[in-house]
Amino acid sequence: MYGYHGRALIVDLSAKSTEWEAIPESILRKFIGGTGLGAYLLYRHCPAGVDPFRPDNPLIFVGSPLVGSRLTTSSKFAVLTKSPLTGMIGDSLSSSFIAVEMKKSGCDALIIKGRSETPTLLTILDGEVNFHDASRLMGLDTFETETKVKKQIGHWTRVACIGPAGERMVRYASIANDGGRQAGRTGTGAVMGSKNLKAIGVRGGSLPDVYDPDGLNEIGRDLSRRSLGPATEKYRTLGTLANVAVFDALGTLPTRNFQQTTFESAQEVSGEEFHETHFVKNSHCANCTIGCEKIVVTTD
Ligand code: SF4
């Protein structure tokens, strides 16, 4: 099989144990990766009717066959769990270097079950899993946590972590990775907090083989060229905030938790305004030519 490892890594925080579970090729072909494969794994591993904050609600990180390739915007992963916000399937997407490191660790999905008795930092280095005390990280925000984990485990470690909101199981808390990317929907960070899991550090290993590396590289070059065309220009210059003013004008801007569809101060938080007054520099995920990420500074 190419593009996959064909297995999931299951970590049990209660028992401090791990096991590998094979994922059949037929399932991978059917569900491919990301949210699709994650929904299948959640269906398999989440007991019916479970409270989202119970230890047996799994927290599942899933990659895809293209993660680790040079295809632009391919460094994506999905986080799935039973959502404490909706009580239904929760899926949230994020991206960047940790997606590649997770795949290098030898699995197509990382399934975290159980609940640690004390705050825990989970590390997966060259595929080897370890559990560390994370008491000293508690209360830190996600930037501080990532910095400290890298100092402890190594600079090239990629980190996913929660801040105080996740620790307190705020039902919409997110999981942060790679210095500010967020799995920001459906309260995945609250479930991570309910497991007493403050952070995950991943580094090392190897990617699965690709069927036609030269062909894939050729497609990658073509896609990169085309990704710099007019269709993505607004994201390259203003970032996804470019949509704020447009959605507001169309009456489709989710406002006050979807109670309204326009926002009276939309212009002040628009991409144009941020670009004009607060823009510092561009940033981008791993293997991305578009770079919709904008670093802005505000003292407001
Ligand atoms: S920088 Fe933006 S466009 Fe590029 S992969 Fe990340 S989210 Fe996607």
Side-chain angles (χ1 to χ4, degrees):
M1 194 165 25
Y2 295 94
Y4 292 104
H5 295 286
R7 60 184 187 168
L9 172 60
I10 303 175
V11 174
D12 186 332
L13 290 168
S14 302
K16 299 275 187 291
S17 64
T18 61
E19 66 176 295
W20 294 90
E21 180 179 271
I23 309 177
E25 183 172 344
S26 59
I27 294 297
L28 294 170
R29 285 187 180 278
K30 204 171 196 171
F31 296 99
I32 302 176
T35 301
L37 182 58
Y40 165 81
L41 293 170
L42 189 64
Y43 180 71
R44 259 183 70 75
H45 288 274
C46 184
V50 72
D51 183 297
F53 288 147
R54 293 285 306 163
D56 37 1
N57 181 24
L59 183 66
I60 305 176
F61 295 76
V62 197
S64 84
L66 296 178
V67 169
S69 74
R70 301 307 297 268
L71 293 193
T72 186
T73 73
S74 64
S75 301
K76 299 279 174 188
F77 66 97
V79 186
L80 283 98
T81 190
K82 183 170 181 182
S83 167
L85 194 61
T86 65
M88 302 174 79
I89 292 179
D91 77 290
S92 191
L93 301 179
S94 186
S95 44
S96 208
F97 295 95
I98 197 166
V100 180
E101 291 304 315
M102 277 195 186
K103 188 155 178 186
K104 280 166 64 184
S105 70
C107 62
D108 301 308
L110 168 64
I111 302 173
I112 300 172
K113 297 181 172 182
R115 180 180 191 276
S116 177
E117 280 185 10
T118 53
T120 295
L121 159 65
L122 175 72
T123 60
I124 308 172
L125 306 180
D126 291 320
E128 188 184 321
V129 176
N130 276 293
F131 305 87
H132 308 259
D133 175 49
S135 305
R136 70 192 182 90
L137 301 175
M138 296 304 275
L140 299 182
D141 69 28
T142 56
F143 291 101
E144 295 166 331
T145 302
E146 181 170 338
T147 302
K148 286 219 185 298
V149 171
K150 285 184 169 206
K151 205 166 172 191
Q152 179 180 343
I153 308 298
H155 179 69
W156 294 109
T157 305
R158 299 299 175 178
V159 180
C161 62
I162 55 172
E167 291 172 23
R168 291 177 189 143
M169 295 186 282
V170 174
R171 287 176 187 268
Y172 51 83
S174 61
I175 298 172
N177 65 278
D178 290 299
R181 307 303 312 182
Q182 305 281 333
R185 294 170 192 261
T186 70
T188 54
V191 173
M192 192 159 158
S194 76
K195 297 186 173 308
N196 241 333
L197 181 59
K198 175 67 175 170
I200 305 169
V202 194
R203 190 185 70 227
S206 58
L207 293 166
D209 290 337
V210 170
Y211 176 70
D212 178 6
D214 291 340
L216 188 63
N217 285 339
E218 182 52 40
I219 291 170
R221 277 192 289 274
D222 179 49
L223 199 59
S224 294
R225 244 188 333 267
R226 289 192 287 130
S227 75
L228 299 175
T232 62
E233 190 182 352
K234 67 175 183 178
Y235 296 118
R236 284 183 277 125
T237 51
L238 303 180
T240 41
L241 276 181
N243 290 330
V244 170
V246 179
F247 285 7
D248 190 58
L250 291 171
T252 56
L253 184 67
T255 303
R256 299 191 175 88
N257 204 16
F258 287 88
Q259 293 178 78
Q260 295 160 305
T261 55
T262 58
F263 181 43
E264 61 279 6
S265 302
Q267 194 50 44
E268 290 163 42
V269 293
S270 66
E272 291 80 358
E273 177 67 18
F274 269 81
H275 188 72
E276 188 69 28
T277 54
H278 303 297
F279 177 76
V280 177
K281 63 175 181 175
N282 288 317
S283 186
H284 57 84
C285 295
N287 298 326
C288 176
T289 49
I290 295 171
C292 74
E293 198 175 345
K294 307 295 161 197
I295 308 298
V296 297
V297 169
T298 177
T299 52
D300 298 348

